[in-house]
């Protein structure tokens, strides 16, 4: 068969004839690196340009400057809320949880329209002052584009799925100018373990994306930190205090964000499209408060806050300003993200960490007459430690500080502080923030990488493997009506939770499939609610451990148990079965076999 002549419209077929699957994949990794690099730089420049133009304009409004700054994030939130509600629901939040879910549940298929709208909505949200970052959205955008490139050129399902880590790595590389950290982040956050097979394509993409970024923006770190070389000194022992402080604050920040997000989700009287506006208004009020009390020259609570971040990393802020910015950024970011605005938490985490470390550094300077550069060094230590505590990628937390600042001299105390922060945070909360966000959205981690480790997985809460959208039966129906509904839905199970009616999630019992069939055979036409009226239901709580759940199911001799709210034991949240636990066990064993 003669080879087709090259035509741009027939490029996928032309490549398919001349190159095998592996060769096409590597070629597409290069293309993905170039495209993602351009997207990452464009996103960065556009957000920075919008923010500087908007807030520069506000500063010239005289007495109306502060009201304009208060309203700017709120107006952006309203625009974002309407666009998320009616145009692109997946543009809410960071984008990293959505990317993980697409990778593990949809073979890496992310519609390119999601990338387009994420770009527009993220620019409006962050550019007009909402206290979020661009790095998470960059990951989502680049992963969607990379996925589309793979599908456009006819790659198979597994190859398309493999384009997601390629896009994620290229996005992080372009956003932070940190190619090494981009690689470790992909393996730590997305893939959950190291794979030499996946390394080649990711490596090519991150290098190409970094080359594009440096060609356009120049050869410099993403952060303009003090470039002084620090010799090993006594003051570096401050990492032993920064580590625990970062671990505790990281846990508190995560808990606050998740708690507020849960409250916003339960706030049914307020339309979903209005909630980001409420979050934006909160950011405006907090940001202006910090601005006024810090001398009128610190806008760090708004948007990404790189000016104040760089000032902290150069030891140029007083302890009063550091404390105000720390408290303000924690509150503003938690409220803004929880409200459903579009933007990531990478940049706020780096910002908060630098303020925390800066406080310790300023204390060393004031109390022990240390050199002023020590404040800058401590701010770098705080940045890495807080990143490790919240994002939970320990290797990335070390490498990204080195790559973003081009300063290697603090590597030893950075490693110690990051490890302490990571261990404390992981001990206080087993589930990292991105997976916790997925759980809040009802996406079960049994379909995700699933904490592979033979020692720790059984101690995780049962909510990580339970089925959230379980098949319920209704107490007002008869057995015949119930079985007809089950047949129509096509979801046949061993047992079903019984709720009071169609509009309530009030658990009143459990009924087995064979019991429904026996009721029909016996001519029993009672509503199911009467059949289960005297039943004692074995229930579990979402924070019960997997080990405890398995023991309960075995001791009570049942194959499944409904999960109910600890605050309201009659509120059905989901169901877990022995099959779920066995499936998790099999996933662990398979992972251990691959790693051995």
């Amino acid at each position: 068969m003669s080879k087709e002549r090259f035509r741009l419209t027939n490029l996928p077929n032309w490549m398919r004839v001349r190159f095998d699957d592996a060769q096409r994949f590597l070629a597409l990794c290069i293309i993905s690196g170039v495209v993602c690099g351009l997207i990452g730089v464009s996103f960065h420049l556009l957000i920075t340009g919008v923010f500087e133009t908007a807030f520069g304009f506000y500063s010239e409004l005289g007495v109306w400057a502060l009201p304009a700054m208060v309203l700017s994030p709120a107006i952006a939130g309203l625009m974002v809320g309407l666009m998320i509600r009616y145009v692109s629901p997946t543009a809410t939040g960071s984008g990293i949880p959505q990317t993980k879910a697409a990778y593990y549940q949809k073979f890496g298929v992310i519609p390119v329209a999601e990338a387009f709208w994420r770009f527009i909505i993220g620019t409006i949200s962050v550019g007009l002052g909402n206290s979020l970052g661009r790095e998470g959205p960059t990951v989502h955008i680049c992963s969607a584009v990379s996925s589309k490139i793979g599908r456009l050129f006819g790659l198979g399902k597994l190859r398309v799925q493999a384009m997601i880590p390629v896009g994620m790595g290229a996005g992080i590389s372009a956003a932070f100018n940190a190619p090494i950290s981009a690689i470790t982040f992909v393996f730590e956050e997305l893939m959950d373990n190291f794979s030499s097979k996946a390394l080649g394509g990711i490596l090519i993409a991150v290098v190409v994306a970094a080359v594009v970024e440096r060609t356009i923006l120049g050869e410099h770190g993403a952060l303009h930190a003090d470039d002084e070389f620090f010799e090993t000194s006594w003051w570096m022992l401050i990492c032993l205090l920064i580590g625990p402080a970062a671990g505790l604050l990281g846990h508190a920040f995560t808990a606050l964000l998740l708690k507020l997000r849960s409250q916003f989700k339960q706030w049914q009287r307020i339309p979903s499209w209005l909630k980001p506006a409420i979050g934006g208004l909160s950011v405006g009020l907090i940001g202006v408060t910090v601005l006024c009390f810090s001398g009128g020259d610190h806008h760090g609570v708004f948007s990404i806050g790189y000016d104040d971040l760089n000032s902290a990393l150069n030891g140029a802020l007083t302890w009063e300003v550091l404390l105000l910015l720390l408290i303000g950024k924690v509150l503003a970011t938690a409220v803004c993200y929880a409200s459903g605005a579009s933007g990531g938490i990478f940049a706020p985490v780096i910002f908060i960490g630098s303020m925390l470390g800066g406080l310790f550094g300023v204390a060393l300077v004031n109390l022990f007459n240390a050199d002023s550069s020590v404040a800058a060094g401590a701010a770098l230590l705080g940045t890495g430690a807080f990143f490790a505590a919240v994002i939970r990628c320990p290797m990335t937390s070390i490498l990204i500080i080195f790559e973003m600042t081009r300063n290697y001299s603090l590597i030893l105390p950075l490693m110690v502080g990051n490890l302490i922060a990571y261990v404390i945070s992981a001990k206080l909360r087993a589930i990292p923030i991105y997976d916790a966000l997925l759980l809040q959205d009802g996406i079960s981690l049994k379909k995700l990488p699933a904490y592979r480790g033979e020692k720790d997985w059984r101690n995780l809460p049962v909510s990580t493997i339970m089925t959230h959208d379980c098949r319920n039966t209704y107490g007002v129906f008869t057995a015949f009506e119930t079985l007809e509904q089950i047949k129509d839905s096509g979801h046949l199970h061993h047992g079903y939770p019984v709720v009071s009616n169609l509009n309530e999630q009030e658990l009143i019992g459990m009924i087995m499939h064979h019991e429904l069939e026996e009721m029909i055979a016996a001519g029993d036409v009672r509503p199911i609610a009467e059949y289960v009226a005297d039943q004692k239901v074995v229930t579990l709580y979402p924070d019960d451990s997997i080990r405890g759940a398995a023991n309960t199911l075995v001791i009570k001799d049942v194959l499944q148990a409904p999960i109910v709210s600890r605050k309201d034991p009659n509120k059905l949240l989901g169901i877990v079965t022995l099959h779920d636990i066995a499936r998790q066990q099999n996933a662990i064993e398979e992972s251990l076999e691959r790693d051995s």
Side-chain angles (χ1 to χ4, degrees), residues 308-346:
D308 284 327
L309 172 58
N310 288 325
S311 295
L313 295 177
N314 284 278
L317 299 179
T318 64
W319 72 267
E320 295 93 343
V321 173
L322 289 167
L323 184 60
L324 281 169
L325 289 171
L326 171 67
I327 296 172
K329 198 69 171 180
V330 167
L331 296 176
T333 301
V335 174
C336 189
Y337 193 97
S339 69
S342 182
I345 58 173
F346 251 90

Side-chain angles (χ1 to χ4, degrees), residues 212-271:
V212 171
E213 194 269 351
R214 294 178 186 186
T215 301
I216 299 173
L217 298 181
E219 294 280 346
H220 55 74
L223 300 178
H224 303 293
D226 192 327
D227 59 0
E228 178 166 338
F229 182 85
F230 295 97
E231 294 184 356
T232 303
S233 178
W234 64 269
W235 72 263
M236 293 183 180
L237 292 174
I238 197 68
C239 68
L240 299 177
L241 297 178
I242 291 177
L248 294 172
L249 182 61
H251 171 69
F253 173 74
T254 302
L256 176 64
L257 188 151
L258 293 173
K259 179 66 175 178
L260 288 174
R261 191 169 185 261
S262 175
Q263 292 298 320
F264 268 101
K265 281 179 170 289
Q266 295 174 18
W267 204 358
Q268 298 297 328
R269 294 184 179 180
I270 302 297

Side-chain angles (χ1 to χ4, degrees), residues 359-437:
L359 283 170
F360 282 92
V362 170
L364 286 176
V365 173
N366 293 339
L367 297 178
F368 300 98
N369 294 319
D371 188 80
S372 59
S373 63
V374 168
L380 285 173
L381 297 180
T383 303
F386 195 69
F387 187 97
V390 176
I391 307 299
R392 300 279 185 86
C393 296
M395 283 298 297
T396 304
S397 71
I398 296 169
L399 293 173
I400 200 168
I401 303 305
F402 161 58
E403 287 194 284
M404 291 177 69
T405 63
R406 306 296 177 87
N407 196 325
Y408 184 76
S409 58
L410 289 172
I411 193 68
L412 296 180
L414 186 66
M415 292 170 67
V416 173
N418 289 16
L419 178 61
I420 293 173
Y422 173 80
V423 170
I424 290 175
S425 179
K427 186 71 174 178
L428 293 174
R429 179 180 293 274
I431 306 173
I433 189 167
Y434 291 127
D435 290 342
L437 291 169

Side-chain angles (χ1 to χ4, degrees), residues 136-149:
T138 302
V139 165
H140 191 198
I141 293 167
C142 291
S143 297
V145 170
S146 185
S147 170
K148 179 61 178 179
I149 290 172

Side-chain angles (χ1 to χ4, degrees), residues 393-516:
C393 296
M395 283 298 297
T396 304
S397 71
I398 296 169
L399 293 173
I400 200 168
I401 303 305
F402 161 58
E403 287 194 284
M404 291 177 69
T405 63
R406 306 296 177 87
N407 196 325
Y408 184 76
S409 58
L410 289 172
I411 193 68
L412 296 180
L414 186 66
M415 292 170 67
V416 173
N418 289 16
L419 178 61
I420 293 173
Y422 173 80
V423 170
I424 290 175
S425 179
K427 186 71 174 178
L428 293 174
R429 179 180 293 274
I431 306 173
I433 189 167
Y434 291 127
D435 290 342
L437 291 169
L438 285 170
L439 278 176
Q440 275 195 340
D441 293 335
I443 300 176
S444 174
L445 295 187
K446 69 184 179 183
K447 301 171 184 174
L448 295 180
Y451 302 97
R452 298 177 183 129
E454 58 180 341
K455 295 182 179 179
D456 63 349
W457 73 274
R458 296 181 186 88
N459 295 323
L460 289 169
V462 72
S463 60
T464 59
I465 63 168
M466 78 182 196
T467 300
H468 293 260
D469 53 344
C470 56
R471 179 69 175 87
N472 299 332
T473 57
Y474 304 102
V476 294
F477 292 162
T478 65
F480 177 79
E481 291 171 329
T482 300
L483 278 181
E484 287 298 311
Q485 281 194 331
I486 291 171
K487 290 177 182 177
D488 291 341
S489 68
H491 298 294
L492 180 65
H493 299 288
H494 179 265
Y496 310 92
V498 182
V499 295
S500 54
N501 58 63
L502 279 70
N503 300 316
E504 299 286 342
Q505 285 292 95
E506 181 185 356
L507 180 70
I508 58 175
M510 285 286 296
I511 191 163
M512 303 301 107
H513 192 87
H514 69 84
E515 290 179 310
L516 292 171

Side-chain angles (χ1 to χ4, degrees), residues 25-47:
F25 178 72
L26 290 178
L28 296 184
C29 288
I30 297 173
I31 296 172
S32 182
V34 172
V35 175
C36 292
L38 292 172
I39 290 173
V41 171
S42 301
F43 197 45
H44 164 64
L45 293 176
L46 190 57
I47 287 176

